[in-house]
Amino acid sequence: MITKDFLYCQYTVKNKEELFDRLTGDLMAKNIVREGFSQALKDREAEFPTGLPVKHGVAIPHTDGSLVNSDQLLFVTLTEPIIFNEMGGDDEDTVEVNVVVMLAVKDGKKHLTVLQNLIEAIQKEGFVDQLVDATDEEQILAAVNAFL
C-alpha cells in the first residue's frame, strides 16, 4: 500500500485541484484508480475538507473506494504550501498545507482504519517534521516506516 513510486518529495503544484489531477494521472497510469477519481476527490473535499491545522499543515484527501482498483497511499511534501479548507471547520477556515497524504483505498472498513492510523501518526511528535525535512523519497519512506 506504500510504495516508492508514490512518494513525492518537494513537489510543486499551484493548488489542490492541480495536485489531485496530477496524482490521479500517476495512479491511473498504474491502473490503481479509474477515470473520475480526481473529480471524486474534488467533490468530497468541497463537502468534507481534510486540512489539519497542525504544525506545517497536513491534508488527507480521500474519497470512497468505488473508483479504486488496488490500495495505495501517496505521501507528498510540497515546495510551497497550498490552501485546503480545515477539517470540521467553517467555509472560511483554511490551512496552509505542506504535507499531503492521499488515500486510494478500496474497502470502507480498511479505509477507516488507515485514516485513523494516519491521524494518530500525524499527531506523534516528529513525524510531520521528518516528512517536511526530507530531501528525497528515501527519507520520506524512512519517516513513514518509523511512524506507521
Side-chain angles (χ1 to χ4, degrees):
M1 185 178 331
I2 299 170
T3 61
K4 205 168 168 193
D5 289 347
F6 294 101
L7 304 178
Y8 301 82
C9 188
Q10 299 302 308
Y11 202 63
T12 302
V13 291
K14 292 181 184 88
N15 54 47
K16 64 183 179 246
E17 292 77 17
E18 180 185 352
L19 179 75
F20 295 165
D21 289 345
R22 287 176 58 189
L23 295 180
T24 296
D26 291 351
L27 289 166
M28 286 179 64
K30 301 256 183 183
N31 199 33
I32 292 170
V33 299
R34 293 188 293 284
E35 190 70 45
F37 186 77
S38 182
Q39 188 60 51
L41 286 170
K42 293 172 189 174
D43 293 346
R44 191 191 182 289
E45 192 69 36
E47 193 160 336
F48 302 105
T50 63
L52 299 173
V54 297
K55 184 179 177 187
H56 304 298
V58 178
I60 312 174
H62 55 280
T63 189
D64 71 76
S66 63
L67 297 170
V68 177
N69 296 323
S70 59
D71 296 347
Q72 184 67 55
L73 293 183
L74 297 82
F75 288 82
V76 184
T77 62
L78 299 167
T79 55
E80 295 292 327
I82 57 176
I83 302 298
F84 275 76
N85 285 83
E86 185 179 327
M87 184 183 289
D90 294 325
D91 288 345
E92 66 275 2
D93 296 331
T94 60
V95 178
E96 285 193 2
V97 167
N98 289 287
V99 176
V100 176
V101 184
M102 194 166 99
L103 280 67
V105 179
K106 194 171 185 157
D107 178 65
K109 285 182 185 172
K110 185 175 183 182
H111 180 102
L112 284 176
T113 301
V114 169
L115 197 55
Q116 288 170 334
N117 291 342
L118 270 174
I119 290 171
E120 285 175 20
I122 289 164
Q123 293 172 338
K124 289 179 185 170
E125 182 77 31
F127 180 49
V128 177
D129 288 332
Q130 283 187 30
L131 292 174
V132 168
D133 292 342
T135 57
D136 60 30
E137 287 76 13
E138 290 290 337
Q139 291 178 352
I140 291 174
L141 186 60
V144 169
N145 287 334
F147 284 89
L148 280 178

